[in-house]
Amino acid sequence: MCGTDGQVLVIKPSKPSSVSPAPDEPTDHHPSDTIINLDHGDPTMYESYWKVVGQKYTSITIPGFQSLSYFANKKNLCWFLEPKLEEEIKRLHKMVGNAIVENRHIVVGTGSSQLILAALYALSDPLNEPNPISVVSAAPYYSSYPEMTDFLRSGLFKWSGDARCFNKEGPYIEMVTYPNNPDGVIREPVVNRANGMLVHDLAYYWPQYTAITSPADHDIILFTVSKCTGHAGSRIGWALVRNENIARKMVKFIEVNTIGVSKEAQLRAANILETISLSCQRHKPRDLENFFECSQRLMAERWKKLREAVDNNELFYVPKFPIQFCNFTRDFTETYPAFAWLKCKEGMDCEKLLRGHKILTRSGRRFGSGAEYVRISMLSRDEEFDLFLQRLSAVGGDNN
Amino acid sequence: MCGTDGQVLVIKPSKPSSVSPAPDEPTDHHPSDTIINLDHGDPTMYESYWKVVGQKYTSITIPGFQSLSYFANKKNLCWFLEPKLEEEIKRLHKMVGNAIVENRHIVVGTGSSQLILAALYALSDPLNEPNPISVVSAAPYYSSYPEMTDFLRSGLFKWSGDARCFNKEGPYIEMVTYPNNPDGVIREPVVNRANGMLVHDLAYYWPQYTAITSPADHDIILFTVSKCTGHAGSRIGWALVRNENIARKMVKFIEVNTIGVSKEAQLRAANILETISLSCQRHKPRDLENFFECSQRLMAERWKKLREAVDNNELFYVPKFPIQFCNFTRDFTETYPAFAWLKCKEGMDCEKLLRGHKILTRSGRRFGSGAEYVRISMLSRDEEFDLFLQRLSAVGGDNN
């Protein structure tokens, strides 16, 4: 069933005159001149799973009088966090084994983007540090880190580029992403100085992308439903935070920035995470396929097809990954990153080359690397992915 | 029916093992030592209306496969804005007559807080202005403006205090709020210089709070469902923006800050706005009371009770408002602000006095005024409001 289209359900508000929201764009028309946009990591690949699962397990109904208040739980440090979401986050991490949740504060955010900013805000210390704290990450780094850090010209923090080239004195914040966006590598901190603070971005540390080798145990860990379940439109991320004061400052950031996080999105995310946990239980309902097994199989198939296309082509190269034992699946597995970090021959502008074939990707330059690299989303819908492979093969045909 | 409790519905995800989200805190237990928190403008007053309206008109069901994508409408300048929400925003403004929507760009935000920051970002011009642009508002101003503007120590904009005292050269941004938070006054810009830019915060320009005297027609106007419908937990606000480039920059801010706005919250807000529009139609369903009439009646009752309590008490004073003709209700009406701007006798610390009687309010100092003032939410649940009035009368009894 995995990767096939199921019944198409239409939203049903129980109002006679209601106008149904527009469904996502149709996906079955891709004439040869259509531009394929694989620049963003839009996780529409997961639609097929959720369509098959259907209303039975995942529909959520919210009556009009619910969640009017700004507050979700006044007794919680994170007063806008829905208790059910907190519960389902903990349950899922315990089941997957990808992060320690005991004695951690959970801070929910409007996607993990907001939590990155919240973490930078929380870790900066303007009373004791007159200059903005340096923020670094080893290249190739997530292309949004520099822009997020600098777009408001904050006096609290400042982007300082590739962590491997960082040579300033004083405190710094290093963003550590594993598996790394864009290249899928399992990362560790690279600066390793006493006055460093770490933010671990583990958006892709889920069984469909990589082996779960141990539960992550860091000071600040960020996750997002976008990459775990595919629900990018919900804008729900969460942070697991060891230190209470840091968690309080992150909550303060979100309070000033957006006065909390949408309750509807939190309730739905809780429902989706609950369904995933249910799908992974030994005595799960028969009609509910294991989400991670299904997603991993799909990722493995896509990577197999991509490697075949690249192997038949002298222009391109994609990285290889070690095989590791996954504690969750209890099997050996490769890493199947959400992005392909494609390399062209030295001196070529890979983004430009692919754009000429109507494939939009993100240039390696955006990630602190060279123009011979591009990042390509592996999470598009089936039709787009297949068309991408056809065109990639055609590029090779033109240029070989 | 207005202001009475209807049937209590419980969220019903259609999953066997689902854990229902915790409902809002119980409201019917207020022993004499309970602290009443009227510091925030938490609009729980509106719960009673939405409970009576019930599932028939306002429940929304979202299937698991919907809205996975980051995008809501790739063709729109605001690519994360749900088309149905855009439609319902326009419909409501046209019906109420409180803002011009023709030839305006609509930018949705995670509450209007995010849109305030987006507007400051969009209006700043770091290429031509080396120094942060001054942000001002006439005191008493919304207590969050200074904190929002300065919390990241942005090099783009900087809080410069009371607009009436502003005497710097160069460009500036003036926040104009009407009816004003905290004091309910209908405001106009006060600096009025050629190089000024205006952001109009019209969160309370709805018929339950004030007469709608003309459709607002400004460069940037901000609204929020929190104060219009009471759905503060959804975190949905919107901006009506005249200039395309400014709208694009606001969208860019939201892209970098949170990569869009929750789709679930947008779809629900659209549904709620649609219900309100339906309730105001001449040939509306019989069981759907006009939302604004009902809310205005409730606000008028509360203000009448508050004025009675204050009139019998030499300690306190609340402002009076002119009676104006409302184009929407086609009747003369007073202003019934969402907050009471209560004044104690000169030299008293009003916030401290009330805190001693277990009433939490926000001190006038937070709004750029004196400690003899406090802002008190008028939007609490009935039980809290009645208890507040009892205690307020008791304060007078102690101190007269």
Side-chain angles (χ1 to χ4, degrees), chain A residues 15 42 57 69 154 234 264, chain B residues 15 42 57 69 152 234 264:
Chain A
K15 187 182 321 175
D42 205 20
Y57 294 102
S69 176
S154 173
S234 304
E264 294 88 351
Chain B
K15 186 180 325 178
D42 204 21
Y57 293 102
S69 176
L152 288 179
S234 304
E264 294 88 351

Side-chain angles (χ1 to χ4, degrees), chain B residues 108-383:
Chain B
V108 66
T110 308
S112 58
S113 300
Q114 191 180 34
L115 291 165
I116 292 170
L117 284 167
L120 299 185
Y121 172 80
L123 294 175
S124 63
D125 181 14
L127 292 180
N128 293 312
E129 288 294 332
N131 297 316
I133 191 167
S134 297
V135 180
V136 298
S137 188
Y141 41 71
Y142 175 34
S143 50
S144 292
Y145 289 152
E147 188 171 38
M148 278 178 177
T149 309
D150 282 349
F151 82 126
L152 288 179
R153 304 198 179 194
S154 173
L156 301 180
F157 40 77
K158 189 175 167 53
W159 178 249
S160 299
D162 187 350
R164 291 198 184 86
C165 310
F166 182 65
N167 56 14
K168 278 189 202 158
E169 291 300 312
Y172 66 93
I173 299 170
E174 182 176 347
M175 303 294 305
V176 182
T177 311
Y178 71 81
N180 190 42
N181 171 1
D183 66 358
V185 169
I186 299 297
R187 283 276 182 86
E188 293 199 340
V190 306
V191 183
N192 296 315
R193 279 199 236 131
N195 49 5
M197 289 172 281
L198 303 175
V199 178
H200 279 81
D201 185 343
L202 267 54
Y204 304 94
Y205 192 47
W206 294 102
Q208 67 265 51
Y209 303 119
T210 194
I212 304 302
T213 52
S214 66
D217 181 16
H218 312 291
D219 290 342
I220 302 178
I221 307 180
L222 308 182
F223 286 99
T224 167
V225 294
S226 302
K227 309 306 179 183
C228 172
T229 77
H231 291 80
S234 304
R235 313 307 312 124
I236 291 293
W238 64 92
L240 306 176
V241 185
R242 197 190 306 264
N243 179 285
E244 182 178 323
N245 284 335
I246 296 294
R248 280 191 196 283
K249 284 183 77 178
M250 290 179 72
V251 167
K252 178 70 184 171
F253 175 91
I254 292 169
E255 185 184 320
V256 179
N257 188 195
T258 56
I259 322 185
V261 175
S262 159
K263 303 294 184 293
E264 294 88 351
Q266 289 190 61
L267 293 173
R268 180 159 184 245
N271 223 11
I272 295 289
L273 296 187
E274 184 188 13
T275 303
I276 292 182
S277 289
L278 182 64
S279 84
C280 297
Q281 285 171 16
R282 186 176 298 209
H283 301 292
K284 68 178 178 63
R286 272 196 197 173
D287 58 353
L288 186 63
E289 191 176 2
N290 184 306
F291 173 78
F292 292 118
E293 276 178 24
C294 176
S295 309
Q296 192 198 44
R297 198 162 61 241
L298 200 53
M299 291 305 294
E301 279 167 19
R302 288 192 172 194
W303 271 94
K304 184 165 175 280
K305 285 183 188 174
L306 177 67
R307 289 192 188 283
E308 284 167 4
V310 167
D311 286 348
N312 292 327
N313 190 313
E314 289 181 5
L315 274 179
F316 303 117
Y317 168 83
V318 283
K320 288 197 167 53
F321 301 99
I323 286 175
Q324 291 182 292
F325 187 78
C326 176
N327 293 331
F328 174 72
T329 59
R330 308 220 154 265
D331 202 352
F332 286 90
T333 181
E334 215 184 300
T335 294
Y336 305 113
F339 297 102
W341 184 235
L342 193 78
K343 191 182 178 187
C344 279
K345 280 183 178 168
E346 212 68 45
M348 289 181 79
D349 184 330
C350 197
E351 189 272 332
K352 195 175 163 190
L353 172 67
L354 293 176
R355 187 155 31 89
H357 290 76
K358 297 188 170 26
I359 305 169
L360 301 188
T361 62
R362 195 169 292 184
S363 170
R365 282 178 297 208
R366 298 272 306 276
F367 303 87
S369 290
E372 68 273 24
Y373 288 97
V374 289
R375 189 193 76 168
I376 300 174
S377 169
M378 294 291 284
L379 303 182
S380 61
R381 294 185 180 95
D382 280 343
E383 303 81 9

Side-chain angles (χ1 to χ4, degrees), chain A residues 152-164:
Chain A
L152 288 179
R153 305 199 176 194
S154 173
L156 301 180
F157 41 78
K158 188 175 168 55
W159 178 249
S160 299
D162 187 350
R164 291 199 184 84

Side-chain angles (χ1 to χ4, degrees), chain A residues 10 13 26 45 93 96 103 110 123 126 134 150 175 304 327 330 338-339 343 354 399:
Chain A
V10 177
M45 179 189 88
H93 281 307
V96 172
N103 301 315
T110 309
L123 295 175
S134 297
D150 282 350
M175 304 293 307
K304 184 164 175 280
N327 293 331
R330 308 221 155 264
F339 297 102
K343 191 182 177 189
L354 293 176
N399 291 275

